[in-house]
Amino acid sequence: MCFIHRPDNVQVGDVLVLTKPLGTQIAVNAHQWIEKPEMYEKISYVISKEDVVSAYNIASDSMARLNRTAARMMHKHGAHGATDVTGFGLLGHATNLAKTQKEAVDFVIHSLPIIAGMSETAKVAAEKIFDFKLHGGFSAETSGGLFVALPKSNAEAFCKDMEALDGWPAWIVGDVVKGTCSAQIIESPTVIEVDV
């Protein structure tokens, strides 16, 4: 049976859930830098080679996991809208979703679930190698998760079902407020280190 969810019914009071961690791009790059001593040396004081390999494995497992369970749970828990998080990054896709809403709402993102070790690695890389814009919400994700707007009363159950069925957590990362159909990440978001 096929269910279609229109992405434009997000309501004030909904919460925003992310179903996969951020940081796949930086994890893959950091893994490649292990083979290039001149590159790895620039990040070596914030992350060990072993932790880079661990992050790479988490990223690979995340990228290999389908969004099928999340799509099914959207139907079960009454999602009001969703988008995937891929090439435009979390904030890019959130902004695009916000612009399609029937109601005048804003998405306020307060938490960033990031693959363990990649938050600090991204900060150092931004200064010494390349700015992936991870904390700004514009880091591309490969086979990223779904960014889902759910009624607040259903969000915890959605997250519990995701973990029970997929073996991976999902996170409440933001709130929907009255606004002008835009999205933002707060100035100092909570970084959730994801080490599955």
Side-chain angles (χ1 to χ4, degrees):
M1 182 175 276
C2 178
F3 298 101
I4 298 176
H5 287 275
R6 301 264 326 144
D8 57 1
N9 294 309
V10 176
Q11 300 170 14
V12 171
D14 283 352
V15 294
L16 303 165
V17 174
L18 187 62
T19 64
K20 291 185 183 181
L22 304 170
T24 57
Q25 184 184 38
I26 185 76
V28 169
N29 278 270
H31 190 259
Q32 292 172 340
W33 296 338
I34 290 174
E35 300 302 319
K36 298 178 180 177
E38 71 282 3
M39 298 296 281
Y40 175 71
E41 181 181 321
K42 295 174 183 178
I43 63 167
S44 64
Y45 66 94
V46 294
I47 191 162
S48 69
K49 289 181 181 179
E50 294 77 17
D51 288 342
V52 169
V53 170
S54 176
Y56 176 79
N57 289 336
I58 292 169
S60 296
D61 290 346
S62 177
M63 291 185 287
R65 195 165 50 96
L66 298 176
N67 285 318
R68 183 181 343 192
T69 301
R72 289 179 178 156
M73 292 303 98
M74 284 173 48
H75 175 71
K76 177 180 177 182
H77 295 285
H80 291 145
T83 184
D84 65 339
V85 177
T86 53
F88 298 124
L90 176 62
L91 189 57
H93 286 285
T95 298
N96 289 340
L97 181 63
K99 288 178 180 178
T100 69
Q101 298 310 304
K102 294 175 188 173
E103 301 290 325
V105 297
D106 283 353
F107 299 160
V108 180
I109 300 167
H110 55 63
S111 300
L112 299 174
I114 297 175
I115 296 168
M118 294 303 98
S119 178
E120 288 304 311
T121 301
K123 288 176 186 175
V124 171
E127 295 173 9
K128 300 186 176 205
I129 303 171
F130 179 79
D131 187 359
F132 290 91
K133 301 184 183 340
L134 179 64
H135 297 92
F138 292 106
S139 184
E141 300 295 331
T142 300
S143 185
L146 297 183
F147 180 72
V148 184
L150 291 155
K152 188 173 189 172
S153 59
N154 299 0
E156 289 290 340
F158 176 94
C159 291
K160 286 180 182 176
D161 280 353
M162 284 296 299
E163 190 156 17
L165 295 169
D166 261 8
W168 283 69
W171 304 268
I172 296 172
V173 299
D175 299 295
V176 178
V177 299
K178 187 173 176 66
T180 59
C181 297
S182 66
Q184 65 173 317
I185 297 174
I186 66 170
E187 188 173 328
S188 297
T190 300
V191 172
I192 303 165
E193 291 271 323
V194 179
D195 190 6
V196 182

